[in-house]
Amino acid sequence: MAKKISLRQFQEHLSTRLNSVARGEGASSMLGVAAGDRQWLLDLSDSGEIVQLPPLVHVPLTRPTFAGIANIRGNLYSVTDFSVFCGGEATPLNAYARLLLIGTKYGSNAALLVTRMLGLKNPNDFTPEADSETAPTWGRQTLRDKEGRRWHKLAIRELLADNDFMNIGT
């Protein structure tokens, strides 16, 4: 069984890894998240900050995928329920749910509501599968881990450029 660590320790470790990746040091890593019943991998350099779920302000006349607006240290972020966006069930707003602030690097205050964090992953532990031609460009790549579990690779830049993701109105 994996050793349990506090959220603070995890965030400090992640921050250190993000800084080393930004400086071009160390091995590349990916961040694993769960959104509904799917497991996703993001390049660590694209993953952004992870925060505990703050109160969300509902916005009327928006799509079901739009979870609301979150105030993170005085900055407003548009929050998309990533599970619903991918066609799954709504993310339970519990102690495991997290916001992944994905757009800051690309000049957008976008955040993904995810079911839970799955930690840092080594790219060498995954084997690429054939890309899905029917999946959107931001989620075409799939991989298998050593235990045979299927993971989807999330391309943040492509997700932020997707019209369905950016259009929140009904």
Side-chain angles (χ1 to χ4, degrees):
M1 179 179 237
K3 180 180 122 181
K4 291 189 177 191
I5 62 171
S6 72
L7 177 61
R8 179 189 226 45
Q9 289 173 316
F10 174 74
Q11 288 180 325
E12 287 172 355
H13 178 68
L14 183 59
S15 176
T16 302
R17 297 286 300 265
L18 281 170
N19 289 333
S20 69
V21 168
R23 291 189 304 265
E25 301 170 357
S28 64
S29 290
M30 294 186 289
L31 179 65
V33 299
D37 61 355
R38 290 187 182 176
Q39 297 174 8
W40 292 86
L41 293 169
L42 301 84
D43 285 327
L44 194 55
S45 61
D46 280 343
S47 65
E49 186 178 353
I50 302 160
V51 297
Q52 285 186 320
L53 186 62
L56 298 176
V57 177
H58 175 72
V59 179
L61 303 174
T62 56
R63 293 180 179 186
T65 60
F66 190 72
I69 301 288
N71 182 343
I72 310 293
R73 293 181 302 281
N75 294 308
L76 298 179
Y77 285 82
S78 62
V79 179
T80 299
D81 185 329
F82 196 52
S83 176
V84 175
F85 185 74
C86 294
E89 298 292 320
T91 299
L93 304 180
N94 58 29
Y96 298 107
R98 295 287 182 263
L99 284 188
L100 184 58
L101 310 181
I102 60 168
T104 309
K105 178 178 178 178
Y106 300 105
S108 171
N109 283 5
L112 296 178
L113 174 61
V114 296
T115 308
R116 64 187 174 134
M117 304 306 302
L118 299 175
L120 297 174
K121 305 294 179 188
N122 184 338
N124 297 328
D125 293 340
F126 295 88
T127 305
E129 292 187 328
D131 289 354
S132 170
E133 296 300 319
T134 59
T137 58
W138 48 265
R140 283 199 176 141
Q141 187 177 4
T142 57
L143 305 118
R144 291 265 177 203
D145 64 15
K146 291 181 177 180
E147 288 81 36
R149 292 177 296 214
R150 186 175 191 195
W151 294 74
H152 302 271
K153 180 89 186 292
L154 178 58
I156 298 294
R157 183 185 307 252
E158 286 81 1
L159 178 65
L160 291 171
D162 186 283
N163 286 334
D164 285 335
F165 182 75
M166 296 307 285
N167 183 8
I168 63 167
T170 54

